[in-house]
Amino acid sequence: EAGVTQSPRYAVLQEGQAVSFWCDPISGHDTLYWYQQPRDQGPQLLVYFRDEAVIDNSQLPSDRFSAVRPKGTNSTLKIQSAKQGDTATYLCASRDWSETLYFGSGTRLTVL
Amino acid sequence: QQKVQQSPESLTVSEGAMASLNCTFSDGTSDNFRWYRQHSGKGLEVLVSIFSDGEKEEGRFTAHLNRASLHVSLHIREPQPSDSAVYLCAMSMGNMGYKLTFGTGTSLLVDP
């Protein structure tokens, strides 16, 4: 069974540029999560979906971040105007009926 | 919001010696506890999940949970150099969509 797939693996931007991250969850997993992991810190939840619906986006900086999962499968996280403080690894995870989240390898973002 | 602290921040052990990692949390509202491992540049791999006080073993990994003490620990028996990684404890409430709150991580180095 394929795991959670994320792309790109790395992104380097100047402040003010936009970037999108893509996630393909494990087939059949209805719940998808995006986490932000600053260097040397634990991951922090940004947003999560059940199917195509956003269940909780309370930690998503809504002025610059957006996330969609239009068909309840793949998901895209976008940063409209990146800041240096957005430098982090962005992790996607998915879950089916069980309680276990399965994580992708992440996208490592550096904002210069 | 649940706060999670891990100790020690870093740990070096010799191959074959027991490694013990600790995690304390701020309140007793969580009911799902997990230990994840993260090799450098990789995603998170779940090691052991524990849902009630006591002990849960998965291979060489044993978790101990004491909710009254707000403490969960991980013991790694006969660690190997390939176990060198960052270890993260995480917890969630089942009725809150299994949103994981992570600790800050312990960096483990196993010397051959």
Side-chain angles (χ1 to χ4, degrees):
Chain A
E1 180 183 75
V4 177
T5 305
Q6 291 188 244
S7 65
R9 289 295 308 275
Y10 303 94
V12 180
L13 309 172
Q14 299 288 336
E15 272 200 320
Q17 289 187 303
V19 63
S20 292
F21 310 130
W22 181 80
C23 174
D24 186 5
I26 293 173
S27 178
H29 283 197
D30 60 355
T31 309
L32 184 148
Y33 306 77
W34 283 102
Y35 280 83
Q36 180 192 58
Q37 186 178 20
R39 187 175 174 79
D40 297 330
Q41 295 184 35
Q44 296 151 21
L45 180 69
L46 291 174
V47 59
Y48 85 98
F49 299 83
R50 184 167 299 118
D51 298 319
E52 67 276 7
V54 173
I55 304 301
D56 186 345
N57 62 357
S58 57
Q59 303 305 310
L60 196 67
S62 58
D63 57 334
R64 297 183 301 106
F65 284 62
S66 62
V68 295
R69 194 186 184 199
K71 296 183 180 177
T73 52
N74 301 337
S75 177
T76 304
L77 175 69
K78 183 173 182 178
I79 306 176
Q80 195 65 31
S81 177
K83 298 182 178 180
Q84 286 187 352
D86 299 331
T87 293
T89 298
Y90 291 82
L91 295 165
C92 178
S94 68
R95 176 177 71 82
D96 57 7
W97 55 268
S98 74
E99 303 95 354
T100 302
L101 273 66
Y102 295 89
F103 285 82
S105 299
T107 295
R108 189 173 294 183
L109 173 68
T110 302
V111 183
L112 302 174
Chain B
Q1 187 178 353
Q2 183 79 269
K3 298 258 190 291
V4 183
Q5 279 292 121
Q6 285 188 241
S7 63
E9 205 171 292
S10 62
L11 177 66
T12 300
V13 299
S14 299
E15 186 174 0
M18 177 78 81
S20 296
L21 291 65
N22 299 290
C23 189
T24 56
F25 39 99
S26 57
D27 65 63
T29 55
S30 297
D31 55 11
N32 292 267
F33 299 85
R34 286 170 177 79
W35 282 95
Y36 281 86
R37 176 168 69 181
Q38 188 175 31
H39 284 105
S40 181
K42 306 289 187 187
L44 279 67
E45 169 193 10
V46 61
L47 298 172
V48 59
S49 305
I50 186 166
F51 309 120
S52 57
D53 286 346
E55 178 180 300
K56 175 80 177 294
E57 183 177 311
E58 294 283 357
R60 296 183 295 110
F61 302 97
T62 302
H64 290 262
L65 173 63
N66 183 332
R67 274 190 281 200
S69 302
L70 302 179
H71 183 257
V72 60
S73 60
L74 178 70
H75 304 277
I76 307 173
R77 183 167 41 86
E78 298 175 1
Q80 299 153 15
S82 58
D83 292 322
S84 297
V86 173
Y87 288 76
L88 294 155
C89 67
M91 51 205 66
S92 64
M93 290 174 63
N95 64 354
M96 295 294 286
Y98 301 102
K99 296 186 296 181
L100 292 173
T101 300
F102 283 88
T104 47
T106 292
S107 179
L108 175 68
L109 178 64
V110 181
D111 279 339

